[in-house]
């Protein structure tokens, strides 16, 4: 279409001259009078020259003179379908993660019912399960806070941390695909597991593990090369769900006491990183990291002058943080994604996995036990978080709504059934607490 001539010229190889033009595009930005926080902001919308001519023609009076034009903002849905799809993906990822996380207990229960010896899980990750004590939970929270702060500082220093996260995501995703998908299938349908060789840097490795590693690496390399395609969000979300499942299998919350403490701690963590940090450092640490530091205003002013609206030759398509579930908005002309962080599934997922392990240990059906209550509470909490986003129009820390609902549901169910004292110190955490109290009594007696 017709574009605005900028006046910039350059000679061509054929002896001619090229004149640069700038086409106006239908994108919104913010015109701000100054850098001060109290300065007024006015939303501005760009239209193409062709659309502008059509508006002028429609507003022309009988004598060809402009009689006036009525303009309005484009329609924006109150609730985009992407928010609902994000809720479904997050809920499904939690179900997958908690079910995988309790695989060992489910296999033992099946063996006790059938009278057969418990088999070895096809997924080797369960052999490396790490029990999470109260001290470990505190270190996990501290590590998350330090990592988020470091990423925020690197972003402020103009470091492209998104490529670091992309590398970590690809490596972790390859492991998740290999361990949770390819290895079990290869183990079941082939005899490659019997082919064992010494692989440099890995030691004795069977053929099934080699095939799984190669397939996982190939899948993630393909995704990395095609990550700017319009459909790349779908495999990214699938890999994210597998990562949540792998984490919940390897990290185990050992008691309801630790679960409640984690709920309180991560609730405070989410509030501080989203709502408190803007008053300290000027912006939300968690949101800045989740969006790879992309500011509300475009830093490079050349991005405003595209050769045509869909041309990314100046600024590129941009990079997105892969450590989240992302669904493109369906009906919103402004585009963008509805997002849910992997941590909003992983952290509650470890607690929901504990609920399933409690049901298996107590001999309860999953439809009437702690797991069903925890899963329902997570769905309600995630729905409240999505509702808060729609009502406020800004990103919300989902853990702020999920963690208190899940903690209240588990404690309420345990109290109502008269099992609170029994499940408060469950499993290894109970043994650890008893041993610690015994050591303290012995030290007091010695003194």
């Amino acid at each position: 279409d017709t574009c605005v001539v900028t006046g910039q010229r350059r000679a061509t190889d054929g002896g001619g001259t090229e004149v640069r033009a700038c086409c106006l595009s239908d994108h919104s930005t913010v015109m701000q009078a100054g850098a001060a926080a109290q300065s007024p902001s006015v939303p501005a919308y760009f239209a193409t020259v062709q659309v502008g001519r059509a508006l002028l023609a429609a507003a022309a009076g009988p004598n060809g003179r402009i009689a006036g034009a009525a303009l309005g903002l484009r329609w924006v849905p109150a609730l985009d379908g992407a928010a609902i799809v994000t809720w479904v993906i997050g809920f499904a990822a939690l179900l997958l993660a908690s079910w995988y996380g309790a695989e060992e207990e489910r296999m033992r229960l099946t063996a006790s019912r059938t009278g057969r010896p418990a088999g070895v899980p096809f997924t080797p990750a369960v052999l490396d399960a790490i029990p999470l004590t109260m001290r470990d939970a505190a270190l996990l929270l501290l590590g998350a806070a330090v990592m988020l702060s470091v990423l925020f500082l690197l972003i402020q220093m103009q470091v492209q941390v998104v490529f670091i996260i992309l590398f970590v995501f690809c490596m972790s995703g390859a492991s998740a695909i290999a361990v949770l998908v390819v290895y079990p299938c290869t183990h079941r349908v082939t005899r490659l597991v019997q082919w064992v060789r010494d692989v440099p840097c890995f030691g004795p490795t069977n053929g099934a593990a080699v095939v799984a590693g190669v397939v996982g690496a190939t899948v993630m390399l393909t995704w990395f090369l095609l990550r700017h395609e319009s459909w790349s969000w779908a495999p990214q979300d699938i890999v994210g769900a597998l990562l949540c499942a792998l984490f919940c299998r390897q990290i185990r919350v050992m008691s309801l006491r630790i679960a409640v403490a984690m709920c309180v701690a991560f609730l405070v963590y989410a509030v501080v990183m989203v709502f408190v940090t803007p008053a300290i450092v000027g912006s939300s640490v968690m949101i800045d990291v989740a969006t790879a530091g992309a500011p509300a205003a475009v830093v490079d002013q050349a991005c405003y002058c595209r050769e045509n609206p869909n041309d990314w030759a100046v600024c590129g398509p941009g990079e997105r943080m892969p450590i989240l579930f992302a669904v493109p908005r369906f009906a919103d002309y402004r585009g963008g994604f509805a997002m849910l962080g992997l941590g909003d599934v992983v952290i509650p997922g470890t607690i929901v996995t504990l609920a399933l392990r409690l049901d298996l240990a107590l001999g309860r059906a999953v439809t009437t036990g702690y797991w069903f209550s925890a899963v329902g509470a997570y769905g309600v909490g995630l729905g409240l978080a999505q509702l808060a986003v729609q009502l406020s129009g800004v990103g919300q820390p989902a853990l702020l709504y999920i963690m208190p609902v899940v903690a209240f549901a588990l404690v309420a169910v345990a109290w109502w059934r008269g099992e609170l004292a029994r499940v408060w110190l469950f499993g290894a955490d109970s043994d650890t607490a008893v041993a610690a109290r015994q050591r303290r009594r012995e030290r007091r007696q010695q003194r």
Side-chain angles (χ1 to χ4, degrees), residues 97-98 100-105 123-133 136 140 172 175-176 179-180 242-254 346 349-350 353 357:
S98 60
Y100 264 108
E103 183 195 27
E104 189 176 16
E105 286 77 5
T123 307
V126 73
L127 303 177
D128 301 325
I130 302 173
L132 196 69
T133 62
D136 297 329
L140 178 64
S172 303
S175 299
V179 170
L180 297 181
L242 294 177
L243 286 175
C244 293
L246 188 60
F247 186 91
C248 290
R249 293 193 57 164
Q250 293 185 285
I251 304 297
R252 295 191 172 190
V253 177
M254 301 310 297
V346 164
T350 59
T353 302
R357 291 170 47 233

Side-chain angles (χ1 to χ4, degrees), residues 191-262:
R191 297 182 178 181
L192 289 174
V193 71
Q194 301 176 2
W195 182 83
V196 180
R197 295 291 187 275
D198 286 331
V199 179
C201 301
F202 292 95
T205 306
N206 61 64
V210 173
V211 172
V214 171
V215 173
T218 302
V219 170
M220 291 310 300
L221 179 60
T222 304
W223 174 86
F224 178 80
L225 296 177
L226 302 176
R227 66 189 184 280
H228 295 310
E229 298 294 331
S230 59
W231 46 263
S232 63
W233 62 272
Q236 173 184 319
D237 291 352
I238 295 174
V239 173
L242 294 177
L243 286 175
C244 293
L246 188 60
F247 186 91
C248 290
R249 293 193 57 164
Q250 293 185 285
I251 304 297
R252 295 191 172 190
V253 177
M254 301 310 297
S255 71
L256 185 60
R257 176 178 73 109
I258 297 177
V260 173
M262 287 181 60

Side-chain angles (χ1 to χ4, degrees), residues 97-300:
S98 60
W99 193 256
Y100 264 108
E103 183 195 27
E104 189 176 16
E105 286 77 5
R106 290 190 288 107
M107 293 186 65
R108 290 176 180 174
L109 181 62
T110 302
S112 63
R113 288 177 177 176
T114 59
R116 300 175 182 176
V120 178
F122 286 116
T123 307
V126 73
L127 303 177
D128 301 325
I130 302 173
L132 196 69
T133 62
M134 190 70 76
R135 176 177 175 272
D136 297 329
L139 292 176
L140 178 64
L141 177 65
L142 179 62
V146 170
M147 179 61 67
L148 199 66
S149 301
V150 170
L151 290 176
F152 175 77
L153 291 176
L154 292 176
I155 289 174
Q156 300 305 307
M157 297 168 60
Q158 305 299 320
V159 177
Q160 295 293 329
V161 298
V162 65
F163 292 103
I164 302 175
I165 302 302
L166 279 170
F167 174 78
V168 175
F169 178 76
C170 289
M171 296 295 293
S172 303
S175 299
I177 293 173
V179 170
L180 297 181
V181 180
V182 183
Y183 185 85
C185 296
T186 308
H187 189 285
R188 288 176 182 270
V189 302
T190 69
R191 297 182 178 181
L192 289 174
V193 71
Q194 301 176 2
W195 182 83
V196 180
R197 295 291 187 275
D198 286 331
V199 179
C201 301
F202 292 95
T205 306
N206 61 64
V210 173
V211 172
V214 171
V215 173
T218 302
V219 170
M220 291 310 300
L221 179 60
T222 304
W223 174 86
F224 178 80
L225 296 177
L226 302 176
R227 66 189 184 280
H228 295 310
E229 298 294 331
S230 59
W231 46 263
S232 63
W233 62 272
Q236 173 184 319
D237 291 352
I238 295 174
V239 173
L242 294 177
L243 286 175
C244 293
L246 188 60
F247 186 91
C248 290
R249 293 193 57 164
Q250 293 185 285
I251 304 297
R252 295 191 172 190
V253 177
M254 301 310 297
S255 71
L256 185 60
R257 176 178 73 109
I258 297 177
V260 173
M262 287 181 60
C263 287
V264 175
F266 277 94
L267 185 151
V268 175
Y269 162 80
V271 171
V272 170
M273 290 298 178
V274 174
F275 296 118
V276 178
T277 52
I280 301 175
V281 297
S283 61
S284 172
V285 171
M286 186 175 292
I287 293 179
D288 279 2
V289 173
T291 57
V298 180
V299 176
D300 186 359

Side-chain angles (χ1 to χ4, degrees), residues 351-368:
I351 299 174
V352 177
T353 302
L354 168 67
L356 180 56
R357 291 170 47 233
L358 282 172
D359 290 336
L360 296 174
L362 299 175
R364 297 187 182 278
V366 295
T367 56
T368 59

Side-chain angles (χ1 to χ4, degrees), residues 431-446:
D431 299 335
T432 303
V434 170
R437 288 195 295 269
Q438 180 64 26
R439 288 194 297 269
R440 287 195 295 269
R441 283 196 297 266
E442 291 176 355
R443 284 196 296 266
R444 285 197 297 269
Q445 292 175 359
Q446 292 175 359

Side-chain angles (χ1 to χ4, degrees), residues 28-49:
S28 63
T29 184
V30 174
M31 296 189 300
Q32 193 165 348
Q38 65 272 16
S39 300
S41 297
V42 180
Y45 291 83
F46 297 96
T48 62
V49 175

